[in-house]
Short mmCIF file of all heavy atoms in Angstrom, two decimals:
data_model
loop_
_atom_site.label_atom_id
_atom_site.label_comp_id
_atom_site.label_asym_id
_atom_site.label_seq_id
_atom_site.Cartn_x
_atom_site.Cartn_y
_atom_site.Cartn_z
N VAL A 2 105.00 81.63 103.18
CA VAL A 2 105.71 81.03 104.31
C VAL A 2 104.72 80.69 105.40
O VAL A 2 103.62 81.24 105.47
CB VAL A 2 106.81 81.95 104.87
CG1 VAL A 2 107.87 82.23 103.83
CG2 VAL A 2 106.20 83.25 105.39
N GLN A 3 105.12 79.79 106.27
CA GLN A 3 104.32 79.46 107.44
C GLN A 3 104.57 80.47 108.55
O GLN A 3 105.61 81.13 108.60
CB GLN A 3 104.65 78.06 107.94
CG GLN A 3 104.23 76.95 107.00
CD GLN A 3 104.48 75.57 107.59
OE1 GLN A 3 105.31 75.40 108.48
NE2 GLN A 3 103.76 74.58 107.10
N ALA A 4 103.60 80.60 109.43
CA ALA A 4 103.76 81.47 110.58
C ALA A 4 105.02 81.11 111.34
O ALA A 4 105.32 79.94 111.56
CB ALA A 4 102.54 81.37 111.49
N GLY A 5 105.75 82.14 111.74
CA GLY A 5 107.02 81.94 112.41
C GLY A 5 108.22 81.94 111.49
O GLY A 5 109.36 82.00 111.96
N GLY A 6 107.97 81.88 110.20
CA GLY A 6 109.04 81.85 109.23
C GLY A 6 109.57 83.23 108.91
O GLY A 6 109.16 84.23 109.49
N SER A 7 110.48 83.27 107.94
CA SER A 7 111.16 84.50 107.58
C SER A 7 111.18 84.70 106.07
O SER A 7 111.18 83.73 105.31
CB SER A 7 112.60 84.51 108.09
OG SER A 7 112.66 84.43 109.50
N LEU A 8 111.21 85.94 105.68
CA LEU A 8 111.42 86.34 104.29
C LEU A 8 112.28 87.59 104.28
O LEU A 8 112.26 88.37 105.23
CB LEU A 8 110.10 86.64 103.58
CG LEU A 8 109.22 85.48 103.14
CD1 LEU A 8 107.90 86.03 102.60
CD2 LEU A 8 109.91 84.63 102.09
N ARG A 9 113.00 87.76 103.20
CA ARG A 9 113.78 88.98 103.00
C ARG A 9 113.37 89.61 101.69
O ARG A 9 113.56 89.03 100.63
CB ARG A 9 115.28 88.69 102.98
CG ARG A 9 116.14 89.95 103.02
CD ARG A 9 117.58 89.66 102.72
NE ARG A 9 118.45 90.77 103.05
CZ ARG A 9 119.67 90.93 102.56
NH1 ARG A 9 120.18 90.04 101.72
NH2 ARG A 9 120.40 91.98 102.93
N LEU A 10 112.82 90.80 101.78
CA LEU A 10 112.42 91.55 100.61
C LEU A 10 113.54 92.48 100.18
O LEU A 10 114.26 93.02 101.01
CB LEU A 10 111.17 92.37 100.89
CG LEU A 10 109.94 91.63 101.43
CD1 LEU A 10 108.77 92.59 101.57
CD2 LEU A 10 109.58 90.45 100.54
N SER A 11 113.65 92.66 98.88
CA SER A 11 114.62 93.58 98.32
C SER A 11 113.92 94.57 97.42
O SER A 11 112.91 94.24 96.79
CB SER A 11 115.69 92.83 97.52
OG SER A 11 116.42 91.93 98.33
N CYS A 12 114.46 95.76 97.35
CA CYS A 12 113.95 96.79 96.46
C CYS A 12 115.13 97.47 95.79
O CYS A 12 115.93 98.12 96.47
CB CYS A 12 113.11 97.80 97.23
SG CYS A 12 112.58 99.22 96.24
N ALA A 13 115.23 97.30 94.50
CA ALA A 13 116.32 97.89 93.74
C ALA A 13 115.84 99.15 93.04
O ALA A 13 114.83 99.13 92.33
CB ALA A 13 116.85 96.89 92.72
N ALA A 14 116.56 100.23 93.23
CA ALA A 14 116.23 101.51 92.62
C ALA A 14 117.14 101.77 91.43
O ALA A 14 118.33 101.46 91.46
CB ALA A 14 116.35 102.64 93.62
N SER A 15 116.57 102.35 90.41
CA SER A 15 117.35 102.75 89.24
C SER A 15 116.86 104.10 88.75
O SER A 15 115.84 104.61 89.20
CB SER A 15 117.25 101.70 88.13
OG SER A 15 115.90 101.53 87.71
N GLY A 16 117.60 104.67 87.83
CA GLY A 16 117.28 106.00 87.35
C GLY A 16 118.05 107.05 88.13
O GLY A 16 119.24 106.89 88.39
N ARG A 17 117.36 108.09 88.54
CA ARG A 17 117.98 109.19 89.26
C ARG A 17 118.07 108.86 90.75
O ARG A 17 117.47 109.52 91.60
CB ARG A 17 117.21 110.48 89.04
CG ARG A 17 117.13 110.90 87.57
CD ARG A 17 116.39 112.20 87.40
NE ARG A 17 117.08 113.30 88.06
CZ ARG A 17 116.62 114.55 88.11
NH1 ARG A 17 115.46 114.84 87.55
NH2 ARG A 17 117.32 115.49 88.73
N THR A 18 118.86 107.85 91.06
CA THR A 18 118.93 107.35 92.43
C THR A 18 119.59 108.33 93.39
O THR A 18 119.34 108.26 94.60
CB THR A 18 119.67 106.01 92.48
OG1 THR A 18 120.97 106.16 91.92
CG2 THR A 18 118.90 104.96 91.69
N LEU A 19 120.43 109.21 92.89
CA LEU A 19 121.08 110.17 93.78
C LEU A 19 120.09 111.16 94.37
O LEU A 19 120.42 111.84 95.35
CB LEU A 19 122.19 110.92 93.04
CG LEU A 19 123.40 110.09 92.63
CD1 LEU A 19 124.40 110.95 91.88
CD2 LEU A 19 124.06 109.46 93.85
N SER A 20 118.93 111.26 93.79
CA SER A 20 117.92 112.16 94.31
C SER A 20 117.15 111.57 95.49
O SER A 20 116.40 112.28 96.14
CB SER A 20 116.93 112.54 93.20
OG SER A 20 116.16 111.42 92.80
N ILE A 21 117.33 110.30 95.76
CA ILE A 21 116.59 109.62 96.81
C ILE A 21 117.21 109.88 98.17
O ILE A 21 118.41 109.77 98.35
CB ILE A 21 116.55 108.10 96.56
CG1 ILE A 21 115.82 107.79 95.25
CG2 ILE A 21 115.88 107.39 97.73
CD1 ILE A 21 115.89 106.35 94.84
N ASN A 22 116.38 110.22 99.12
CA ASN A 22 116.81 110.27 100.52
C ASN A 22 116.15 109.14 101.31
O ASN A 22 116.80 108.20 101.72
CB ASN A 22 116.48 111.61 101.15
CG ASN A 22 116.94 111.67 102.60
OD1 ASN A 22 117.93 111.07 102.97
ND2 ASN A 22 116.18 112.39 103.43
N GLY A 23 114.86 109.24 101.49
CA GLY A 23 114.15 108.23 102.25
C GLY A 23 113.69 107.07 101.38
O GLY A 23 113.28 107.27 100.24
N MET A 24 113.77 105.88 101.92
CA MET A 24 113.18 104.71 101.29
C MET A 24 112.38 103.98 102.35
O MET A 24 112.81 103.87 103.50
CB MET A 24 114.24 103.79 100.69
CG MET A 24 115.01 104.44 99.56
SD MET A 24 116.05 103.28 98.63
CE MET A 24 114.79 102.34 97.75
N GLY A 25 111.23 103.49 101.94
CA GLY A 25 110.35 102.87 102.90
C GLY A 25 109.62 101.67 102.33
O GLY A 25 109.63 101.43 101.12
N TRP A 26 109.02 100.93 103.24
CA TRP A 26 108.17 99.81 102.89
C TRP A 26 106.77 100.06 103.43
O TRP A 26 106.60 100.47 104.59
CB TRP A 26 108.71 98.50 103.48
CG TRP A 26 109.96 98.01 102.82
CD1 TRP A 26 111.24 98.23 103.23
CD2 TRP A 26 110.04 97.21 101.64
NE1 TRP A 26 112.13 97.61 102.38
CE2 TRP A 26 111.42 96.98 101.39
CE3 TRP A 26 109.10 96.67 100.78
CZ2 TRP A 26 111.86 96.23 100.31
CZ3 TRP A 26 109.55 95.92 99.70
CH2 TRP A 26 110.90 95.71 99.48
N PHE A 27 105.80 99.81 102.59
CA PHE A 27 104.40 99.86 102.95
C PHE A 27 103.76 98.54 102.57
O PHE A 27 104.30 97.78 101.78
CB PHE A 27 103.69 101.02 102.23
CG PHE A 27 104.17 102.38 102.65
CD1 PHE A 27 105.36 102.89 102.17
CD2 PHE A 27 103.42 103.15 103.52
CE1 PHE A 27 105.81 104.15 102.55
CE2 PHE A 27 103.85 104.41 103.92
CZ PHE A 27 105.05 104.90 103.43
N ARG A 28 102.61 98.27 103.13
CA ARG A 28 101.90 97.05 102.77
C ARG A 28 100.41 97.31 102.72
O ARG A 28 99.89 98.21 103.38
CB ARG A 28 102.22 95.91 103.75
CG ARG A 28 101.71 96.13 105.16
CD ARG A 28 102.24 95.05 106.09
NE ARG A 28 101.72 95.18 107.44
CZ ARG A 28 102.11 94.44 108.47
NH1 ARG A 28 103.05 93.50 108.30
NH2 ARG A 28 101.58 94.62 109.67
N GLN A 29 99.74 96.49 101.94
CA GLN A 29 98.30 96.61 101.81
C GLN A 29 97.68 95.22 101.78
O GLN A 29 97.96 94.43 100.88
CB GLN A 29 97.91 97.38 100.55
CG GLN A 29 96.43 97.68 100.45
CD GLN A 29 96.13 98.71 99.37
OE1 GLN A 29 96.89 98.87 98.43
NE2 GLN A 29 95.02 99.40 99.52
N ALA A 30 96.87 94.94 102.77
CA ALA A 30 96.15 93.68 102.85
C ALA A 30 94.81 93.83 102.14
O ALA A 30 94.30 94.94 101.98
CB ALA A 30 95.94 93.28 104.31
N PRO A 31 94.22 92.72 101.72
CA PRO A 31 92.92 92.80 101.04
C PRO A 31 91.87 93.53 101.87
O PRO A 31 91.70 93.24 103.05
CB PRO A 31 92.54 91.33 100.84
CG PRO A 31 93.84 90.61 100.80
CD PRO A 31 94.71 91.33 101.79
N GLY A 32 91.21 94.48 101.25
CA GLY A 32 90.16 95.22 101.92
C GLY A 32 90.62 96.27 102.90
O GLY A 32 89.79 96.88 103.58
N LYS A 33 91.92 96.49 102.98
CA LYS A 33 92.45 97.46 103.92
C LYS A 33 93.24 98.54 103.19
O LYS A 33 93.67 98.36 102.05
CB LYS A 33 93.34 96.78 104.96
CG LYS A 33 92.62 95.79 105.85
CD LYS A 33 93.55 95.23 106.90
CE LYS A 33 92.83 94.27 107.83
NZ LYS A 33 93.74 93.73 108.87
N GLU A 34 93.43 99.64 103.87
CA GLU A 34 94.24 100.72 103.33
C GLU A 34 95.72 100.37 103.44
O GLU A 34 96.13 99.56 104.27
CB GLU A 34 93.96 102.02 104.06
CG GLU A 34 92.56 102.56 103.87
CD GLU A 34 92.35 103.90 104.53
OE1 GLU A 34 93.25 104.34 105.27
OE2 GLU A 34 91.31 104.52 104.29
N ARG A 35 96.50 101.00 102.60
CA ARG A 35 97.93 100.81 102.65
C ARG A 35 98.48 101.39 103.96
O ARG A 35 98.10 102.48 104.37
CB ARG A 35 98.59 101.48 101.45
CG ARG A 35 100.08 101.24 101.34
CD ARG A 35 100.57 101.50 99.93
NE ARG A 35 100.21 102.82 99.45
CZ ARG A 35 100.32 103.22 98.18
NH1 ARG A 35 100.75 102.36 97.26
NH2 ARG A 35 99.98 104.44 97.83
N GLU A 36 99.37 100.65 104.60
CA GLU A 36 99.91 101.09 105.87
C GLU A 36 101.44 101.09 105.85
O GLU A 36 102.08 100.31 105.14
CB GLU A 36 99.41 100.20 107.02
CG GLU A 36 99.91 98.77 106.97
CD GLU A 36 99.55 97.97 108.21
OE1 GLU A 36 99.27 98.58 109.26
OE2 GLU A 36 99.53 96.73 108.12
N PHE A 37 101.98 101.94 106.66
CA PHE A 37 103.42 102.06 106.79
C PHE A 37 104.00 100.86 107.51
O PHE A 37 103.41 100.35 108.46
CB PHE A 37 103.75 103.34 107.55
CG PHE A 37 105.19 103.45 107.95
CD1 PHE A 37 106.16 103.80 107.02
CD2 PHE A 37 105.59 103.20 109.25
CE1 PHE A 37 107.49 103.89 107.39
CE2 PHE A 37 106.91 103.29 109.63
CZ PHE A 37 107.86 103.64 108.69
N VAL A 38 105.18 100.43 107.07
CA VAL A 38 105.88 99.32 107.71
C VAL A 38 107.21 99.78 108.30
O VAL A 38 107.47 99.62 109.49
CB VAL A 38 106.12 98.16 106.73
CG1 VAL A 38 106.93 97.05 107.39
CG2 VAL A 38 104.79 97.62 106.21
N ALA A 39 108.07 100.34 107.46
CA ALA A 39 109.39 100.76 107.91
C ALA A 39 109.97 101.74 106.91
O ALA A 39 109.61 101.75 105.74
CB ALA A 39 110.33 99.56 108.07
N ALA A 40 110.90 102.57 107.37
CA ALA A 40 111.56 103.53 106.49
C ALA A 40 112.96 103.81 106.99
O ALA A 40 113.25 103.67 108.19
CB ALA A 40 110.76 104.84 106.41
N ILE A 41 113.82 104.23 106.08
CA ILE A 41 115.20 104.53 106.41
C ILE A 41 115.68 105.68 105.53
O ILE A 41 115.33 105.76 104.36
CB ILE A 41 116.10 103.28 106.24
CG1 ILE A 41 117.53 103.56 106.71
CG2 ILE A 41 116.08 102.78 104.81
CD1 ILE A 41 118.38 102.30 106.81
N SER A 42 116.49 106.56 106.10
CA SER A 42 117.02 107.69 105.34
C SER A 42 118.45 107.42 104.92
O SER A 42 119.20 106.69 105.57
CB SER A 42 116.95 108.97 106.16
OG SER A 42 117.88 108.95 107.24
N ARG A 43 118.84 108.04 103.81
CA ARG A 43 120.20 107.91 103.32
C ARG A 43 121.17 108.75 104.15
O ARG A 43 122.27 108.31 104.46
CB ARG A 43 120.28 108.36 101.86
CG ARG A 43 121.68 108.33 101.26
CD ARG A 43 121.73 109.09 99.94
NE ARG A 43 120.86 108.50 98.94
CZ ARG A 43 121.23 107.55 98.09
NH1 ARG A 43 122.48 107.08 98.13
NH2 ARG A 43 120.37 107.08 97.21
N SER A 44 120.75 109.96 104.51
CA SER A 44 121.65 110.92 105.10
C SER A 44 122.18 110.49 106.46
O SER A 44 123.39 110.45 106.68
CB SER A 44 120.95 112.27 105.22
OG SER A 44 119.74 112.16 105.94
N ARG A 45 121.29 110.16 107.38
CA ARG A 45 121.71 109.81 108.73
C ARG A 45 121.38 108.37 109.11
O ARG A 45 121.73 107.94 110.21
CB ARG A 45 121.07 110.75 109.74
CG ARG A 45 121.57 112.18 109.66
CD ARG A 45 121.01 113.02 110.79
NE ARG A 45 121.56 114.36 110.80
CZ ARG A 45 121.28 115.29 111.70
NH1 ARG A 45 120.41 115.02 112.67
NH2 ARG A 45 121.84 116.49 111.63
N GLY A 46 120.74 107.66 108.23
CA GLY A 46 120.35 106.30 108.58
C GLY A 46 119.23 106.24 109.59
O GLY A 46 119.09 105.22 110.28
N THR A 47 118.45 107.28 109.68
CA THR A 47 117.29 107.28 110.57
C THR A 47 116.34 106.17 110.17
O THR A 47 116.09 105.95 108.98
CB THR A 47 116.57 108.63 110.51
OG1 THR A 47 117.49 109.67 110.85
CG2 THR A 47 115.40 108.65 111.48
#
């Protein structure tokens, strides 16, 4: 996309999904370490 644009990422979980509480997004740019982007909990929606 061009700067200023939008994208929507999706992540579908399967398997033992009831065991999941937190889900998060991380990203890694070339030559850089993986960094945190966002996270959300199932229990309280934190």
Side-chain angles (χ1 to χ4, degrees):
V2 298
Q3 293 184 337
S7 298
L8 284 174
R9 190 192 193 199
L10 305 183
S11 298
C12 174
S15 61
R17 300 182 63 183
T18 57
L19 293 178
S20 67
I21 298 172
N22 181 33
M24 296 191 71
W26 290 95
F27 294 78
R28 66 188 183 187
Q29 187 167 24
K33 296 184 178 180
E34 295 184 351
R35 185 160 55 192
E36 67 173 339
F37 170 77
V38 176
I41 185 170
S42 70
R43 177 194 299 270
S44 56
R45 293 186 175 182
T47 303

